[in-house]
Amino acid sequence: MPQVEPDQRRSTRATARRGGSVSRLFDAVLLDRDGTLIEDVPYNGNPERVRPMPGARAALDALRSAGLRLAVVTNQSGLAKGLFTEAQLRAVHARVEQVLGPFDAWLVCPHDDDDRCSCRKPAPELIHAAARRLGTTPQRCVLVGDIGRDVTAALAAGAQAVLVPTPLTRPPETSAAPWVAADLPAAAAEILRRQAAIDPATHRRALPSVGLPSPATVASAVRRSRPSRRAGTVLVVRSDSAGDVLVTGPGIRAVAAHARRVVLLCGPRGRAAADLLPGVDTVIEHQLPWIDPAPAPVTPHDIATLTTALAAVDADEAVIFTSYHQSPLPLALLLRAVGVERICAISDDYPGSLLDVRHHVPTGTPEPERALSLAAAAGYPLPSDDEPVLRLRPVPPPPARVGAPGYVVLHPGSAAQSRGLPPDLAAEIVRTLVGAGHRVVVTGGPDEVALTARVAGGIAVDLGGGTGLADLAATVAGAAAVVVGNTGPAHLAAAYGVPVVSLFAPTVPFGQWGPWRVPTVRLGDPDAPCRGTRAATCPVPGHPCLSRIRPEEVLAALTLLGVPLSRPPTTAVATALARSGR
């Protein structure tokens, strides 16, 4: 039986301001210099040797025309080495602006690696400084660079990152990047596409379906996709795991900002997450057998029960959110059968007359942006006073035994075994972090009690089996950082702005499923044989994508993210840290 439960969420919903503008993903584009804007001439102090990369001027002008501010963020260790002077550097930059147009800011790290400064990429300080100079935040910036250091610095600051490889880019750097473009013009075009995708004005002239070419249908399509709709009752759907429901939150808030009432249909695995989303008035819980990974057999009684529940909603329209490999069409058929007049969804398959707005999203788009773009195509923009981030409603305080905020959460398990950490590695990470001076809290579900006890090893707080999703969210909210695979707690961390050390199994694309708009360091082998398989169980003996991570890498990632120690390290670890310079 579907479980239908009203929820008093009016005080936590996002509401649109009448006449307000649309929220934007990006305010600024940050650009590496050598190999991205101009040809890479090592330690160049001569303006005559400045050569722009192909198409750079047109790409930059397109970004400027779209109202995006531009800044250059560049490592210039030639200053530290004495290979050119500051005056020569300024002359080179003057020549760059002469051929590529003006930039709003130049941010230069003058140090060498041996200086161990906080501004040399991959450290994130240049990105933070650029955002401050431009009057925005790293979350509203996207960085374009040509090597892994650029990507790491951007992600560690919470910015988006685009890698434009050159012959000097190492293949693993390309594989690990969340977003790869062939060249600077392609990167600029994709930045502008993603920016425009969450604005309904982008979609208003697009036909919502195919196969219905009459003039009356064309006129109806334009009316239906007009920006900033106002609606009565809207049924929104996201039937999958807790993490899937969490990343759909921004799209649901966008609908809620323009609707009188929002009803969310989700599955049992996502119900707890549904209860945490602002903007939802009523939740219907029902397992959809064409979505759930372990579906029960389809029976006439089950379909009749679902159809009855859908009819009882009395929805004016429906927005069906799905992942890129799922189909909205079976549910759309049931919704048509109960008289829902307007149905919007992403569908690569021909929908016939099942969809009024048939939307397309390129593969690799981050899941929250995928949801926002569908909401926009349906006429529901996220308003300008609602930042495009994951967001949750208030939760109770965390369990008392976790102690004061500032601990590191380690979540070793996952509903999909392929994305969980090898237990021995997780236990070794705990020992390393505790020895270095971090307080560690180990979390896990009711079926992971033995795992968390093994991993905590008596030296970390063990919350295994002791938290529901709301308690887990509260625990994450008080953390200084979360160490986790690509599973639900990573998205909880993103919702609270808590930095993430992402031990990411590449069974799914990092750019699509990695932590969104939150400081992140990615670890793990991006080229492991499981890459792109979507496997729930590791298909490769030894789990090589994660088992080769060294605990010292996790410790270094926390340092890069600026996570402070809670206590002095043990003698052995202190000696090792001193030798490494941290």
Side-chain angles (χ1 to χ4, degrees):
M1 285 286 294
Q3 298 180 23
V4 182
E5 181 177 324
D7 198 352
Q8 302 300 317
R9 293 194 177 93
R10 285 290 170 182
S11 63
T12 60
R13 65 189 296 124
T15 55
R17 293 177 179 170
R18 300 285 175 172
S21 60
V22 176
S23 186
R24 289 162 57 92
L25 286 175
F26 308 122
D27 291 331
V29 179
L30 315 181
L31 300 117
D32 176 54
R33 195 192 80 175
D34 302 314
T36 302
L37 290 173
I38 60 175
E39 293 179 2
D40 188 358
V41 178
Y43 307 118
N44 181 29
N46 182 359
E48 298 301 320
R49 302 185 71 186
V50 169
R51 299 287 185 273
M53 297 296 284
R57 178 62 190 252
L60 297 173
D61 284 345
L63 296 172
R64 294 181 181 111
S65 295
L68 290 163
R69 306 192 73 189
L70 305 182
V72 181
V73 288
T74 178
N75 290 348
Q76 292 298 327
S77 62
L79 285 171
K81 298 177 187 294
L83 300 176
F84 51 78
T85 66
E86 290 189 12
Q88 288 174 311
L89 181 66
R90 287 194 296 270
V92 167
H93 291 173
R95 176 58 180 165
V96 172
E97 291 204 330
Q98 186 179 30
V99 297
L100 293 180
F103 292 89
D104 297 290
W106 286 82
L107 288 298
V108 177
C109 171
H111 306 105
D112 203 352
D113 281 332
D114 292 340
D115 295 327
R116 300 191 182 280
C117 66
S118 62
C119 57
R120 183 167 173 78
K121 296 178 288 184
E125 179 52 36
L126 275 190
I127 285 74
H128 287 290
R132 289 192 298 269
R133 186 83 63 85
L134 299 177
T136 186
T137 64
Q139 286 74 18
R140 284 181 168 262
C141 295
V142 54
L143 182 145
V144 185
D146 66 313
I147 60 174
R149 282 179 174 239
D150 300 318
V151 172
T152 299
L155 297 183
Q160 303 279 306
V162 189
L163 183 72
V164 178
T166 72
L168 298 179
T169 310
R170 295 186 299 114
E173 295 175 338
T174 302
S175 300
W179 178 357
V180 178
D183 51 28
L184 184 54
E190 181 62 7
I191 290 168
L192 295 176
R193 186 202 67 77
R194 285 175 60 173
Q195 181 90 300
I198 68 169
D199 185 346
T202 304
H203 309 282
R204 64 186 174 188
R205 287 190 172 87
L207 282 177
S209 191
V210 295
L212 302 170
S214 71
T217 300
V218 173
S220 175
V222 172
R223 286 196 302 272
R224 283 196 301 266
S225 57
R226 190 168 293 153
S228 300
R229 290 175 56 84
R230 296 290 164 188
T233 296
V234 180
L235 176 71
V236 295
V237 183
R238 190 63 165 99
S239 182
D240 217 321
S241 69
D244 299 302
V245 173
L246 293 174
V247 298
T248 309
I252 293 173
R253 292 202 316 271
V255 175
H258 307 275
R260 179 181 57 82
R261 177 171 174 254
V262 172
V263 178
L264 171 60
L265 171 62
C266 67
R269 297 188 307 128
R271 173 55 194 266
D275 290 336
L276 296 178
L277 293 185
V280 177
D281 299 294
T282 304
V283 177
I284 301 176
E285 178 185 323
H286 192 92
Q287 184 186 61
L288 300 186
W290 55 91
I291 298 291
D292 198 274
V298 178
T299 66
H301 178 265
D302 179 63
I303 297 301
T305 301
L306 175 58
T307 302
T308 300
L310 294 175
V313 173
D314 193 25
D316 299 296
E317 55 188 282
V319 181
I320 306 174
F321 295 101
T322 53
S323 187
Y324 68 107
H325 59 282
Q326 298 169 346
S327 173
L329 299 184
L331 183 62
L333 178 61
L334 297 182
L335 291 170
R336 283 289 191 233
V338 301
V340 177
E341 293 186 358
R342 185 174 188 263
I343 303 173
C344 311
I346 297 170
S347 181
D348 291 328
D349 297 324
Y350 172 63
S353 59
L354 295 181
L355 299 180
D356 297 285
V357 173
R358 177 194 183 189
H359 186 46
H360 295 277
V361 177
T363 301
T365 299
E367 285 290 307
E369 289 183 34
R370 178 183 171 90
L372 281 170
S373 73
L374 173 58
Y380 302 114
L382 194 67
S384 60
D385 56 350
D386 188 356
E387 183 75 8
V389 294
L390 303 189
R391 197 186 307 281
L392 302 177
R393 64 190 183 95
V395 293
R401 66 182 186 274
V402 305
Y407 45 83
V408 174
V409 167
L410 174 67
H411 190 88
S414 173
Q417 178 270 340
S418 62
R419 294 184 265 124
L421 306 185
D424 289 344
L425 171 62
E428 192 176 351
I429 290 172
V430 167
R431 289 192 294 271
T432 299
L433 298 188
V434 171
H438 289 290
R439 288 185 295 130
V440 179
V441 175
V442 180
T443 57
D447 58 342
E448 296 172 329
V449 172
L451 170 65
T452 60
R454 176 180 173 185
V455 170
I459 61 173
V461 176
D462 178 11
L463 293 185
T467 58
L469 191 65
D471 293 323
L472 177 59
T475 303
V476 167
V482 174
V483 181
V484 63
N486 36 323
T487 190
H491 306 307
L492 292 176
Y496 291 112
V498 175
V500 179
V501 179
S502 179
L503 312 184
F504 197 90
T507 53
V508 293
F510 177 70
Q512 192 160 349
W513 287 104
W516 192 58
R517 295 171 75 91
V518 66
T520 301
V521 174
R522 177 186 182 174
L523 299 177
D525 182 1
D527 287 315
C530 64
R531 180 182 174 94
T533 62
R534 300 210 310 262
T537 302
C538 181
V540 185
H543 210 167
C545 67
L546 299 181
S547 63
R548 295 170 185 167
I549 294 171
R550 294 180 292 106
E552 294 77 16
E553 293 180 272
V554 178
L555 185 58
L558 292 173
T559 301
L560 190 67
L561 291 168
V563 178
L565 299 176
S566 299
R567 60 176 71 93
T570 62
T571 303
V573 176
T575 301
L577 291 175
R579 288 174 178 170
S580 69
R582 291 198 295 272

